[in-house]
Amino acid sequence: MKHSDKPSIIFPDLLTKPATVAFDEPATTSDGGALLLRALDAGLGFVDRLASKVLDGRQASKVIHQQIDLFRQRVYGIACGYADCNDADRVSDDPMQKALLERDPLGDESLASQATLSRFENGVRIVELYKMGMELMEFVIERHLKRLGPRKVKLITIDMDPTEDKTHGAQQLSMFNGHYGAHCYLPQLAFLTFNEEPEQYLFAAVLRSGLASAHDGALGILKRVLPRLRESFPKARIVVRLDGGFATPKLFEFLEKQKRVKYLVAFASNPVVLREIEPIMEYVRAMSELSGETERLFGETQYAAKSWKQERRLIMKA
């Protein structure tokens, strides 16, 4: 039926009159929750700390968008799901995105365009990326030092793992990875866990080629974070947990030289390891036949690959 020249629908179980729904309001947004993000960052000052590590080499007389605004636009945009600079042209007049940068939500002043944001991102130098990475690590350690104090932290766990970041164009360093079956990047991510808490806190993220080995960049991250953790939490034991792609002699030798540091690294099976575990497998098969259930046992052995200078303890699961 028609009501006020607009289509409407009657909900007989809910309403006794026609309900009209219009979608023609020009100044609407779906990012209302981003105000909480802005309030959180205002208290932490995190984006400001990152921005302070990047030199603004533009001519001041020609600058329309301040560098801190470009930082905030990208960070808040990514947090709202606008991962690409191309999205800037679509949301540059979004009232909430403008409010996040303290612009008049309904004013005529738009946010930075895709071209401006792309120039900004491509202008950041390697040394500045390194400084921002260090600032992220310092930020995380400082926050938890303040939260927990230097003596309440008895255990710190470091987890590192690469993750697939699919690409859809001709981006630099985008490579086809056979394991994931896609063109992608393989960023290296590193997390801290304090005591037995379930939460993990990202303290390092390194963008890498889609064909990077799992362990690329891991040694550098550990060399930076371990001294800072010892300095801030002198009583803590440190455990490093890594996937199988990190099982390299160089990484083992580095970790074994560190004081109060233990490591757990997954290890891929091979014919030698399979021979070692076969007696346990025979026993667990017999247990499973008797119980009719899945059974498991653990064993251990001393093992050395050809590239290793010494044997190491290998824990096996049957």
Side-chain angles (χ1 to χ4, degrees):
M1 61 182 299
K2 292 288 185 177
H3 179 70
S4 300
D5 297 325
K6 294 182 179 180
S8 62
I9 302 173
I10 296 178
F11 301 92
D13 296 334
L14 300 175
L15 303 172
T16 59
K17 295 182 179 181
T20 301
V21 181
F23 298 94
D24 54 358
E25 172 57 45
T28 58
T29 181
S30 60
D31 299 325
L35 284 176
L36 298 176
L37 177 66
R38 178 67 182 97
L40 178 65
D41 183 51
L44 297 176
F46 178 61
V47 176
D48 288 8
R49 288 179 62 163
L50 290 183
S52 69
K53 302 303 175 183
V54 178
L55 176 67
D56 189 353
R58 299 175 296 171
Q59 296 183 30
S61 61
K62 298 181 180 178
V63 169
I64 298 176
H65 303 282
Q66 298 300 318
Q67 183 163 277
I68 185 61
D69 287 339
L70 298 178
F71 256 95
R72 288 173 177 160
Q73 184 176 345
R74 281 303 280 138
V75 172
Y76 299 154
I78 291 171
C80 290
Y82 309 123
D84 299 321
C85 285
N86 288 340
D87 294 321
D89 290 336
R90 181 163 54 89
V91 299
S92 61
D93 287 309
D94 182 281
M96 182 54 62
Q97 295 299 316
K98 291 200 287 187
L100 294 175
L101 272 64
E102 300 177 354
R103 307 278 181 90
D104 181 355
L106 301 180
D108 296 330
E109 186 181 11
S110 299
L111 301 181
S113 66
Q114 173 271 321
T116 300
L117 288 177
S118 293
R119 284 194 297 270
F120 162 65
E121 287 191 342
N122 288 319
V124 179
R125 299 175 299 163
I126 292 177
V127 65
E128 293 167 334
L129 291 173
Y130 175 82
K131 289 179 179 179
M132 283 195 289
M134 291 295 292
E135 193 64 27
L136 171 61
M137 182 185 74
E138 292 292 337
F139 178 82
V140 172
I141 292 175
E142 287 174 14
R143 292 289 300 173
H144 295 289
L145 181 61
K146 182 178 180 181
R147 179 175 71 91
L148 299 170
R151 298 186 178 277
K152 289 185 179 180
V153 177
K154 305 301 182 183
L155 173 66
I156 299 175
T157 305
I158 301 173
D159 290 287
M160 280 192 288
D161 203 15
T163 184
E164 176 198 20
D165 182 8
K166 288 184 179 179
T167 55
H168 305 281
Q171 296 97 321
Q172 271 185 308
L173 302 181
S174 170
M175 302 290 182
F176 183 82
N177 187 292
H179 176 73
Y180 293 104
H183 285 81
C184 62
Y185 297 127
L186 284 181
Q188 184 76 274
L189 304 182
F191 301 84
L192 293 177
T193 305
F194 295 89
N195 295 325
E196 301 295 334
E197 297 177 348
E199 295 84 3
Q200 292 183 317
Y201 300 93
L202 178 74
F203 75 90
V206 180
L207 184 63
R208 309 180 310 161
S209 160
L211 291 181
S213 299
H215 58 83
D216 287 350
L219 198 55
I221 292 173
L222 290 171
K223 286 181 177 179
R224 292 191 291 272
V225 74
L226 287 176
R228 285 293 292 115
L229 291 176
R230 290 197 192 95
E231 179 184 349
S232 298
F233 308 99
K235 299 294 184 180
R237 294 181 297 110
I238 299 175
V239 175
V240 179
R241 299 188 300 194
L242 304 169
D243 205 348
F246 294 85
T248 63
K250 192 173 183 179
L251 196 59
F252 288 150
E253 291 166 8
F254 169 78
L255 291 170
E256 287 161 355
K257 292 177 182 178
Q258 309 305 308
K259 294 181 180 180
R260 294 176 62 82
V261 174
K262 294 184 177 182
Y263 66 83
L264 295 168
V265 181
F267 192 77
S269 180
N270 62 45
V272 175
V273 174
L274 290 176
R275 286 198 299 270
E276 290 286 338
I277 202 173
E278 182 56 29
I280 310 175
M281 286 298 301
E282 291 180 358
Y283 190 73
V284 83
R285 289 189 195 106
M287 291 174 56
S288 182
E289 288 179 4
L290 289 174
S291 68
E293 304 287 341
T294 299
E295 302 288 350
R296 60 186 61 80
L297 286 175
F298 291 88
E300 64 177 80
T301 187
Q302 294 295 313
Y303 173 83
K306 292 182 179 179
S307 58
W308 298 2
K309 296 179 181 179
Q310 66 185 61
E311 290 186 337
R312 294 184 171 90
R313 182 188 181 197
L314 188 67
I315 299 173
M316 304 178 293
K317 177 183 178 182

